[in-house]
Amino acid sequence: MIWTLSAPLLLPFFTAIIAFLTRRSVAGKWVSLSGAVLHLGAALVLVSAVLDQGVIAGSFGGWDAPFGIALAADYLGAAMVVITGIIGVAVALYSFADISKSTEALGFHALFHLLLAGVTGAFLTADLFNLYVWFEVMLISSFGLLVIGGSKQEIDGAVKYVTLNLISTVMFLTGVGLLYGMTGTLNMADLHFAVQEVENKGLLSVVAIMFMVAFGVKAAVFPLFFWLPASYHTPSFSVSAVFAGLLTKVGVYALIRAFTLIFTHDPELIETVLLWVAVLTMVTGVLGAAAQSDFRRILSFHIISQIGYMVLGLALMTPLGLIGAVFYLLHHIIVKANLFLISGVANRIAGGTELARIGGLYTHAPLLAVLFLIPAFSLAGFPPLSGFWAKFIVIRASLELEMWIVAGAALFVGLLTVFSMTKIWAEAFWTPHPDALAPKLSRLSTHDWRAMMWPIIALAVMTVIIGLFPGVFYPFVETAADQLLNPTAYLDAVLGPDAVAAAQSAVGQAVIVEGN
Amino acid sequence: MNSLILKTASRYLAAILLVFSIHMLLRGHNEPGGGFIGGLIGATGFVLFAIAGSVAEARKALRIEPQNLAMIGLGASAVAGLSALFANKAPFSGLWLFLFAEEGSKGLPLSSILLFDIGVYLVVMGAILTLVFAIEEEV
């Protein structure tokens, strides 16, 4: 079992090593692509094992939980790894056309696969300190990817990115230290029980808020999102697609994991804070987007507003709310990465991403226009695309709790999303090109067309499939949400049923003693 | 820097530092030391070489690009973790081989942990030298 779990984790490391040693030859990018395909394959094996046996867990070095480093995959974790694999393959192929030889020679593919390893590790680990390590792996490799082009703008973006993320890292590490001091364990399943025995609940809430801030910076929620729009529009399009698709979602995933599994002692406080954070994130993100006039900057601000919906699903803490959050998470990765890939094609054939300087894409590149409409409308929540179902579930969940204002805000933000998507549509696609250029797709060479368009087409098809057949995915997401709210299966898999039973009776006794 | 004394001394010092770094690496399993500290000491040897002479000389003495050295180290550590697959154990489990073991003596203990530590040694050395060489060339 442990090998099924660690294969998607170890593969990117080997790919990174081989891709680095072959970075100056043509073989480098092929190593990268085949490594990404293998990673996706390993992820599919993992998800089929999870579908077969439920939650699976294991630990490195034969040191059993809670002492060793445990890995675990429930439905959510396994699904996230598969999506990571899909984005990995799409971007590895896209980078054939997008990444220059000199950037490759600096080790682009190696950094890219180290990033995939970090993301996969964060989704699979069942240990808080190990999660911190994967966050560091992601931070280091993403910093490398941000500065690899070496332009002034890129370095400026990277410095902002790293500074703010370092603050989050310090906060995370401090929280980990305090939590370890209070409970003596960092295994997430073990913590589920250990925190219930902590007497000083006030201190526990402080630590919970520290984790919320740390993960909130990663997820780019209000008011901690400043780094995102400052850096996401600067690197190459491949890089910003991976960042937009995956990195913030790791933060959301960590929030979901921490507040369903570990910090369940004071649901009222956590839910209230998260609810306000979610609403403000949605609104500020979409207002920020409305004020922008650059293709990628608009998309960057949209990430923030969409993160709000996911956090909202978590904050509701009902089965339907979590179903919405998980569905949103999965759908959004595909859609957002695709939009960034499309902006890269627009940049290539129309000569920029500044909306005032491009145009005419609808007349000259109708295929690209259709491919843009699918993820853009999905993001805005048009039926029957994937985003409609994601928004529908989240809003329905908030209506069930009679949170009219929250539901109203979510609908209003959806409307504003349409507004800024139509801005891109009108300026980049409908209006003629200001320099009377004809941005045809045939401006790409055959090689570049294949490398850039196939990933976009594949991701768009996935969006349509999720939208047309949500019934196929719904039971899966339902189980994922159920496993989050009732983590018995996760605890059993990580700690073993006997240890869980012993811990449960210990906690029960502690409660009785307190009662006396 | 152009100091004859430093230049002459650094030849011997670098050699001593490298031998000492391997000593630190090997004794690290049971006593203070190990791959990380060994790698730092080993890197110091080449840094000394670069300061006394030039970066070009140090690069030539290293024979291999420091970035590649770090990546090969990462590979060695990863292979050490993977080797448990062939013994049907969990990844990163320690595998041991006691060469010439007799009654009462463990002989020469070889292990996948040693390979992992050598990997760490190379990663640290490669990473430090990449940074130092880049900065020295910049200045």
Side-chain angles (χ1 to χ4, degrees):
Chain A
M1 227 21 24
I2 179 67
W3 284 101
T4 321
L5 275 165
S6 41
L9 194 51
L10 289 175
L11 267 172
F13 278 107
F14 283 101
T15 316
I17 293 159
I18 301 171
F20 190 80
L21 296 178
T22 54
R23 65 190 184 280
R24 293 211 182 83
S25 73
V26 210
K29 54 187 174 189
W30 288 103
V31 169
S32 169
L33 182 61
S34 29
V37 172
L38 283 175
H39 178 246
L40 177 60
L44 289 173
V45 171
L46 175 68
V47 84
S48 71
V50 169
L51 283 174
D52 202 33
Q53 306 165 30
V55 184
I56 58 175
S59 48
F60 278 141
W63 296 92
D64 283 335
F67 304 107
I69 297 170
L71 299 180
D74 57 358
Y75 273 43
L76 173 63
M80 297 301 282
V81 174
V82 171
I83 299 271
T84 308
I86 293 172
I87 300 300
V89 173
V91 173
L93 182 57
Y94 190 88
S95 68
F96 273 46
D98 184 47
I99 299 298
S100 69
K101 272 226 160 53
S102 58
T103 312
E104 273 183 351
L106 289 168
F108 168 83
H109 294 299
L111 286 169
F112 171 63
H113 281 276
L114 284 179
L115 184 68
L116 287 186
V119 173
T120 312
F123 289 147
L124 286 181
T125 186
D127 184 285
L128 264 186
F129 188 76
N130 197 234
L131 181 64
Y132 166 78
V133 172
W134 294 121
F135 271 26
E136 285 293 282
V137 172
M138 284 190 314
L139 184 62
I140 293 167
S141 47
S142 54
F143 182 60
L145 287 171
L146 274 170
V147 297
I148 202 165
S151 75
K152 207 171 173 185
Q153 199 195 12
E154 278 176 281
I155 289 167
D156 180 55
V159 167
K160 286 174 187 154
Y161 174 86
V162 165
T163 317
L164 282 160
N165 274 284
L166 273 179
I167 294 172
S168 136
T169 304
V170 170
M171 195 71 111
F172 187 5
L173 197 58
T174 317
V176 165
L178 287 172
L179 198 58
Y180 187 69
M182 282 194 283
T183 62
T185 182
L186 286 174
N187 181 288
M188 291 189 203
D190 205 26
L191 275 172
H192 176 78
F193 296 111
V195 291
Q196 295 177 33
E197 291 179 56
V198 172
E199 281 170 16
N200 192 344
K201 296 289 182 207
L203 189 57
L204 196 61
S205 296
V206 173
V207 174
I209 296 292
M210 287 178 86
F211 277 98
M212 196 188 284
V213 172
F215 297 151
V217 172
K218 296 277 170 195
V221 297
F222 179 88
L224 309 162
F225 59 80
F226 303 104
W227 59 271
L228 192 148
S231 58
Y232 271 26
H233 64 283
T234 55
S236 67
F237 290 86
S238 314
V239 172
S240 57
V242 183
F243 282 16
L246 294 174
L247 287 194
T248 46
K249 309 313 175 298
V250 179
V252 178
Y253 170 85
L255 279 174
I256 292 180
R257 192 59 88 202
F259 292 104
T260 56
L261 189 61
I262 304 171
F263 300 108
T264 48
H265 61 290
D266 189 359
E268 211 161 303
L269 169 80
I270 304 295
E271 283 162 28
T272 317
V273 176
L274 280 180
L275 196 67
W276 282 106
V277 163
V279 172
L280 289 170
T281 309
M282 285 194 290
V283 175
T284 40
V286 85
L287 289 178
Q292 298 300 320
S293 62
D294 181 277
F295 207 142
R296 272 204 281 184
R297 273 176 174 263
I298 293 179
L299 294 179
S300 301
F301 271 101
H302 272 303
I303 300 173
I304 300 165
S305 85
Q306 308 286 317
I307 292 289
Y309 284 95
M310 297 167 212
V311 177
L312 174 60
L314 170 65
L316 297 174
M317 215 50 102
T318 59
L320 197 63
L322 272 172
I323 292 173
V326 173
F327 201 99
Y328 220 112
L329 204 54
L330 298 175
H331 122 86
H332 184 255
I333 294 177
I334 295 178
V335 164
K336 200 81 225 188
N338 203 11
L339 282 170
F340 272 87
L341 294 182
I342 292 168
S343 73
V345 177
N347 174 57
R348 184 70 81 81
I349 60 177
T353 53
E354 192 60 44
L355 288 178
R357 285 181 38 224
I358 58 175
L361 287 166
Y362 178 69
T363 333
H364 299 287
L367 176 63
L368 191 70
V370 172
L371 288 171
F372 171 76
L373 273 186
I374 292 170
F377 276 8
S378 176
L379 195 75
F382 275 51
L385 294 159
S386 59
F388 167 71
W389 301 107
K391 275 206 172 80
F392 176 72
I393 300 169
V394 172
I395 293 171
R396 167 97 196 250
S398 52
L399 286 176
E400 272 183 6
L401 292 175
E402 305 191 341
M403 295 183 171
W404 312 118
I405 300 174
V406 173
L411 286 169
F412 177 66
V413 169
L415 198 67
L416 283 178
T417 312
V418 181
F419 165 71
S420 48
M421 279 301 154
T422 32
K423 190 156 86 179
I424 299 182
W425 177 252
E427 304 243 350
F429 288 86
W430 259 350
T431 50
H433 199 284
D435 306 330
L437 202 76
K440 286 194 169 62
L441 276 176
S442 55
R443 285 164 66 105
L444 299 171
S445 67
T446 323
H447 169 267
D448 286 4
W449 195 98
R450 284 186 188 146
M452 290 178 120
M453 296 306 285
W454 281 119
I456 294 176
I457 293 170
L459 293 179
V461 167
M462 280 177 216
T463 308
V464 173
I465 290 177
I466 298 176
L468 290 181
F469 307 104
V472 180
F473 301 93
Y474 190 81
F476 182 92
V477 177
E478 202 176 12
T479 319
D482 184 52
Q483 284 176 344
L484 291 170
L485 278 176
N486 310 304
T488 328
Y490 190 90
L491 300 171
D492 277 350
V494 175
L495 294 175
D498 299 341
V500 169
Q504 258 159 353
S505 67
V507 170
Q509 270 167 7
V511 173
I512 292 165
V513 171
E514 257 174 51
N516 286 345
Chain B
M1 203 183 294
N2 208 354
S3 149
L4 186 63
I5 299 172
L6 183 64
K7 226 171 180 173
T8 321
S10 72
R11 285 186 172 275
Y12 300 100
L13 281 175
I16 293 169
L17 279 169
L18 282 176
V19 172
F20 182 58
S21 76
I22 290 172
H23 171 70
M24 276 311 233
L25 164 71
L26 292 178
R27 79 173 219 151
H29 192 74
N30 295 319
E31 282 166 277
F36 192 92
I37 189 82
L40 282 177
I41 296 169
T44 322
F46 286 98
V47 170
L48 191 64
F49 219 74
I51 292 174
S54 69
V55 177
E57 268 175 62
R59 277 190 194 279
K60 211 173 141 199
L62 190 62
R63 287 163 198 239
I64 173 171
E65 279 183 75
Q67 300 97 300
N68 287 1
L69 195 67
M71 274 297 177
I72 290 167
L74 187 62
S77 293
V79 166
L82 197 66
S83 63
L85 178 64
F86 304 105
N88 209 6
K89 287 184 173 177
F92 294 96
S93 300
L95 302 179
W96 289 87
L97 176 69
F98 296 101
L99 277 185
F100 316 116
E102 290 164 24
E103 268 306 303
S105 146
K106 281 184 182 169
L108 177 63
L110 295 177
S111 63
S112 61
I113 300 158
L114 178 65
L115 180 62
F116 185 87
D117 234 13
I118 293 173
V120 174
Y121 176 93
L122 294 176
V123 169
V124 173
M125 189 161 163
I128 297 285
L129 288 180
T130 308
L131 292 176
V132 173
F133 286 176
I135 293 169
E136 276 284 308
E137 279 166 340
E138 222 29 48
V139 171

